[in-house]
Amino acid sequence: MSERIVERLRRSNTEEKVGELKKASDREVLAEWKRSGVRFAASSERFEGVYDAALRKLLDCIVPTGISHSDSDSFSEERPILHEGGIYLGCWLESTGTINAELLSRFIPSVSEASYECFADFQLEDGQMPYKITEHGAAYRQIQMVTPLARSVWNHYLLNGRNKSFLRKMYQAIARFDEWLVTYRNTRGSGCVEAFCTFDTGHDLSPRFWHIPDTPHLDDARQYNPDSPVLPLLAPDLTANVYCQRLYLQRMAEELGESGTDWNAKATDSLNSLFKYCFDEADAFFYDLDRNDKLVRVQSDVLLRVLACEVGDREFFDNALRRYLLNTRKFFAKYPFTSMAMDDPRFDPMSSYNSWGGPTNFLSLIRTPHAFEYHGRFVELTWVILPILSAFMGVERFAQALSPWTGKEGFTQTYSPAILCLVDFVERLCGILPTAGGELWFTGLVPYAMDHGEEVANETAYSRTVEGHDFELANTRESCTIYRNGAIYLRFPNGLRVVTDREGSLKSVIGMSVRLVEGTIQYEGVDYPLAVKGNEILQFADGRFTSVSDPGVVPLAYR
């Protein structure tokens, strides 16, 4: 069975799938995608067609900036960067310049690097970074940050050749921005980062910011409305962003031969402030604290944002899963995750307009994997991926959001977070994913028929070129086969993730299903019996497997 889907993969032609290119820069961008070796085939022509459409539309979101910057020798107006897409004509710090580019870095790293560097190139003398960059130039009205830029930059650096010149440039820029935030966004002296308006966190129409202006006072990111009865807010997601950013600035400093001690101390201060001012022990939830020292008790995707910033240990994360993220009264809708808790009377599931008051937003979805994988919650993450891949079967526009009830597309189109969500989720579920830690993840699952029994794909095949080796992975519902340079060298049962180094040498196996996966792994001509529980990690050394982690699986909750 696997031979058939592999042959389908090998016959696929990326140029034919993409079709006629629309602009001059597309040719080199597509060539870079091809150099990654990434191709995807599925037993369902419809699902494979959605994936192909995503690649075509991704090219539409990669655009030469068309602007120049007189103060930067490295900036080129012809250098393509990633755009948000849809009605968002530009590159946003909260998304396009961070988490979107972090995902794209596995496929078209030059575009990711250019997107990161834009924010350093257009940094103001006082240290403020633009919140977006468009064909009209850089904009500074608000801060609008969610995913830590330092983490995205660090992962790109590790994954793509360790360019120290790039790392130093970004380190210096992010450090200067950190100082700007300390100077202008800590007016209450709490050590938290303050939100001055709705757009600071990109939470358009969220009840979190009802009766608060969308923009800062006088369009100045250093000011808030002095007549507001609640501003400034001590914001947990902004504070967690800086906490995580400082952890990665420490790594950068040490990589560049400097001391990271100060960054570690500053990160600790941020974490202490986050829990002192923004965490409610009874609810085990993070809330804004207004100027009256009252918690803004709106349960939103702020929780997921904070967790994606590596706040808390595994026990803390597991408790958040049980009470909130995997709770079908809270955020775990049929198509998770909602942007507001479903049991809040202010919850609005409508996705036909730009709203963070309820619908499932693709930006939340692409921020999710890091939070789960950081704590080894691999199985639970598949429960998010599977219904979203089913929803993609009905996608035509690649919208900003989905209905959490029906999975139908919502507002706007050709939105790069939606496109990258599909590309990323396919690679995590049934593809070959290179990590910043120097590993390759070969995941042996296939999409499941979640909606009306409609098949998504019973068989898949995926390819990637790493260190000069052409890897292919063929998945069926029973077994999985890895090819290296055209020859089979590893077989394993469905329901596992095989972890290798970048040459393909076996390092470990991870249980990717709630069920016990039993069988035999065939590696370089030798059979090794194994039994792997959900989320369990078996390390392979000296011809034997040893369990090194067995955290169990966190079940769904309904109250």
Side-chain angles (χ1 to χ4, degrees):
M1 297 286 282
S2 64
E3 288 79 6
R4 181 177 60 193
I5 194 67
V6 167
E7 285 306 311
R8 180 182 178 90
L9 178 76
R10 291 171 178 171
R11 289 196 305 269
S12 66
N13 184 294
T14 301
E15 286 92 345
E16 290 180 0
K17 288 175 177 290
V18 169
E20 184 177 354
L21 301 179
K22 298 178 182 178
K23 53 187 182 297
S25 61
D26 286 348
R27 188 169 305 281
E28 179 50 39
V29 170
L30 184 60
E32 188 169 353
W33 174 284
K34 287 185 62 181
R35 287 195 293 273
S36 75
V38 171
R39 288 179 294 169
F40 174 68
S43 55
S44 163
E45 291 187 10
R46 182 178 174 187
F47 187 62
E48 186 179 319
V50 173
Y51 187 93
D52 296 341
L55 177 54
R56 288 194 296 271
K57 290 182 179 292
L58 180 60
L59 293 179
D60 294 339
C61 297
I62 297 173
V63 184
T65 58
I67 53 177
S68 61
H69 192 284
S70 58
D71 296 333
S72 174
D73 294 331
S74 65
F75 193 83
S76 168
E77 59 186 291
E78 297 305 319
R79 197 176 178 194
I81 63 171
L82 183 62
H83 278 209
E84 192 79 357
I87 66 164
Y88 307 102
L89 303 178
C91 185
W92 264 253
L93 179 62
E94 70 153 327
S95 49
T96 338
T98 50
I99 186 59
N100 300 12
E102 186 172 334
L103 300 185
L104 187 67
S105 186
R106 305 200 306 263
F107 306 92
I108 312 173
S110 71
V111 174
S112 295
E113 188 161 308
S115 302
Y116 295 138
E117 288 191 304
C118 272
F119 291 94
D121 289 329
F122 286 93
Q123 187 172 33
L124 296 179
E125 287 187 9
D126 68 358
Q128 185 186 358
M129 280 188 174
Y131 78 91
K132 71 174 180 179
I133 297 165
T134 73
E135 62 180 332
H136 304 295
Y140 305 90
R141 183 179 59 186
Q142 63 251 15
I143 56 175
Q144 201 156 341
M145 46 190 237
V146 180
T147 297
L149 175 60
R151 189 196 85 196
S152 298
V153 165
W154 178 253
N155 288 337
H156 173 86
Y157 169 77
L158 293 183
L159 195 59
N160 294 287
R162 291 178 176 259
N163 180 346
K164 285 198 174 181
S165 175
F166 162 76
L167 186 69
R168 185 173 296 279
K169 173 181 179 178
M170 296 306 302
Y171 168 74
Q172 292 172 344
I174 298 169
R176 290 177 60 214
F177 187 41
D178 181 273
E179 184 60 34
W180 185 93
L181 291 168
V182 170
T183 302
Y184 297 106
R185 290 304 184 102
N186 184 31
T187 64
R188 293 165 62 181
S190 68
C192 293
V193 180
E194 295 165 354
F196 288 178
C197 64
T198 304
F199 291 169
D200 275 342
T201 69
H203 256 149
D204 303 49
L205 297 187
S206 171
R208 173 189 183 189
F209 286 103
W210 281 0
H211 311 295
I212 290 175
D214 282 343
T215 59
H217 188 54
L218 304 178
D219 287 343
D220 184 346
R222 299 168 296 182
Q223 300 187 53
Y224 61 87
N225 178 10
D227 298 318
S228 169
V230 294
L231 290 177
L233 301 180
L234 307 186
D237 45 352
L238 298 180
T239 304
N241 177 297
V242 167
Y243 159 71
C244 188
Q245 201 140 261
R246 287 170 167 179
L247 292 179
Y248 283 86
L249 284 168
Q250 177 187 359
R251 299 182 190 185
M252 292 181 184
E254 292 169 350
E255 178 76 3
L256 294 168
E258 302 176 12
S259 172
T261 303
D262 287 349
W263 288 119
N264 183 271
K266 289 178 179 180
T268 300
D269 289 343
S270 290
L271 187 64
N272 290 340
S273 295
L274 172 67
F275 277 93
K276 179 179 179 180
Y277 294 103
C278 299
F279 185 67
D280 181 78
E281 291 280 356
D283 290 354
F285 207 92
F286 295 94
Y287 300 111
D288 298 296
L289 189 73
D290 73 11
R291 70 184 297 170
N292 310 300
D293 291 331
K294 300 293 185 182
L295 291 173
V296 182
R297 293 187 180 276
V298 175
Q299 293 185 347
S300 72
D301 72 309
V302 159
L303 175 63
L304 182 59
R305 293 179 174 198
V306 171
L307 294 172
C309 289
E310 304 177 10
V311 170
D313 58 14
R314 178 182 282 168
E315 182 180 358
F316 186 87
F317 183 73
D318 289 354
N319 186 52
L321 291 182
R322 294 185 186 97
R323 293 190 64 171
Y324 295 104
L325 297 182
L326 297 182
N327 187 330
T328 62
R329 285 175 66 107
K330 293 292 185 180
F331 296 97
F332 205 61
K334 179 174 171 60
Y335 301 91
F337 291 106
T338 57
S339 47
M340 274 279 294
M342 290 177 281
D343 61 356
D344 189 308
R346 294 160 291 196
F347 171 75
D348 174 13
M350 293 299 293
S351 59
S352 57
Y353 43 85
N354 175 19
S355 169
W356 287 83
T360 297
N361 277 277
F362 277 106
L363 268 175
S364 284
L365 287 170
I366 62 176
R367 292 168 181 148
T368 296
H370 185 76
F372 279 66
E373 290 168 353
Y374 182 75
H375 296 289
R377 290 297 166 199
F378 307 106
V379 173
E380 294 85 349
L381 179 59
T382 67
W383 304 341
V384 180
I385 292 175
L386 289 170
I388 298 303
L389 290 184
S390 284
F392 270 115
M393 288 288 284
V395 158
E396 296 178 354
R397 294 183 287 106
F398 293 95
Q400 174 179 325
L402 295 173
S403 163
W405 302 154
T406 68
K408 298 301 182 184
E409 288 187 287
F411 178 70
T412 203
Q413 61 186 344
T414 314
Y415 186 62
S416 66
I419 295 165
L420 289 164
C421 182
L422 174 61
V423 171
D424 178 61
F425 279 14
V426 164
E427 188 158 278
R428 289 182 192 278
L429 188 82
C430 54
I432 306 167
L433 189 154
T435 75
E439 296 177 339
L440 298 179
W441 290 357
F442 299 83
T443 307
L445 293 169
V446 292
Y448 197 82
M450 300 294 289
D451 297 338
H452 310 291
E454 183 177 7
E455 176 197 345
V456 180
N458 288 324
E459 298 180 1
T460 64
Y462 198 93
S463 66
R464 201 176 243 292
T465 301
V466 183
E467 306 293 353
H469 296 293
D470 295 324
F471 293 99
E472 296 162 321
L473 171 64
N475 287 331
T476 72
R477 295 210 179 279
E478 293 75 35
S479 64
C480 314
T481 306
I482 302 176
Y483 299 77
R484 183 171 54 188
N485 301 322
I488 295 173
Y489 85 105
L490 206 155
R491 291 185 190 270
F492 58 102
N494 173 282
L496 298 179
R497 171 175 286 161
V498 165
V499 180
T500 76
D501 64 16
R502 290 178 63 87
E503 299 287 337
S505 298
L506 180 60
K507 294 182 65 177
S508 62
V509 172
I510 303 173
M512 295 296 293
S513 171
V514 69
R515 62 184 164 88
L516 177 69
V517 178
E518 299 180 277
T520 299
I521 184 167
Q522 300 173 352
Y523 174 56
E524 294 186 333
V526 180
D527 291 350
Y528 300 93
L530 77 173
V532 192
K533 290 175 280 185
N535 291 321
E536 184 178 16
I537 300 176
L538 300 184
Q539 189 174 49
F540 183 75
D542 300 323
R544 58 192 293 267
F545 286 103
T546 304
S547 180
V548 295
S549 178
D550 186 10
V553 175
V554 178
L556 302 187
Y558 302 94
R559 290 188 63 82

